[in-house]
């Protein structure tokens, strides 16, 4: 289901009322230090942060291209203890969203 919202954190209010089990959120909408995701975790079972597909460019940066990686600060979801078993937050590459959806939602492996 696709629902429009007009502010970067407008989806948080919508999700509070819908209370879904799983939510996929693009990294750019997670808020500063993941504050929007932390709010959403109060009402949903699992939040999946989709990275690497900002603006439809698709995919993570090639690890061989060090010029693209250099100087980037650690993202909030890369910090220890944020993701993992029982945390309610998973991070996936934008190119893998289809297969992740099939596994999580459709129950197909």
């Amino acid at each position: 289901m696709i629902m429009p919202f007009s502010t970067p954190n407008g989806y948080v209010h919508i999700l509070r009322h819908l209370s879904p089990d799983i939510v996929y959120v693009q990294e750019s909408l997670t808020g500063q230090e993941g504050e929007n995701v932390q709010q959403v975790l109060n009402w949903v079972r699992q939040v999946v942060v989709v990275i690497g597909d900002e603006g439809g460019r698709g995919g993570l940066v090639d690890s061989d291209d060090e010029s693209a990686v250099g100087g980037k600060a650690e993202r909030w979801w890369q910090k220890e203890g944020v993701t993992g078993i029982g945390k309610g937050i998973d991070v996936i590459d934008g190119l893998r969203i289809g297969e992740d959806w099939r596994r999580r939602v459709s129950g197909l492996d």
Side-chain angles (χ1 to χ4, degrees), residues 35-100:
E35 63 189 17
N36 293 341
V37 171
Q38 294 301 326
Q39 286 182 337
V40 169
L41 277 175
N42 293 325
W43 310 299
V44 301
R45 180 177 48 89
Q46 186 74 45
V47 175
V48 180
V49 178
V50 181
I51 60 169
D53 196 21
E54 302 295 319
R57 293 186 302 270
L60 296 172
V61 174
D62 185 2
S63 59
D64 292 337
D65 184 7
E66 293 183 19
S67 65
V69 178
K72 286 228 173 184
E74 182 180 49
R75 305 272 195 216
W76 67 269
W77 46 265
Q78 291 174 319
K79 295 178 181 169
E80 189 172 335
V82 173
T83 61
I85 297 173
K87 301 293 185 195
I89 301 173
D90 285 331
V91 178
I92 63 164
D93 182 18
L95 294 176
R96 305 226 183 263
I97 196 167
E99 60 189 62
D100 187 79

Side-chain angles (χ1 to χ4, degrees), residues 3-17 25-32 34-40 43:
M3 300 191 74
F5 52 92
S6 59
T7 62
N9 65 343
Y11 70 94
V12 174
H13 182 71
I14 294 171
L15 292 176
R16 182 175 187 187
H17 294 287
V25 179
Q26 190 171 3
E27 182 185 15
S28 62
L29 297 175
T30 60
Q32 188 168 342
E35 63 189 17
N36 293 341
V37 171
Q38 294 301 326
Q39 286 182 337
V40 169
W43 310 299

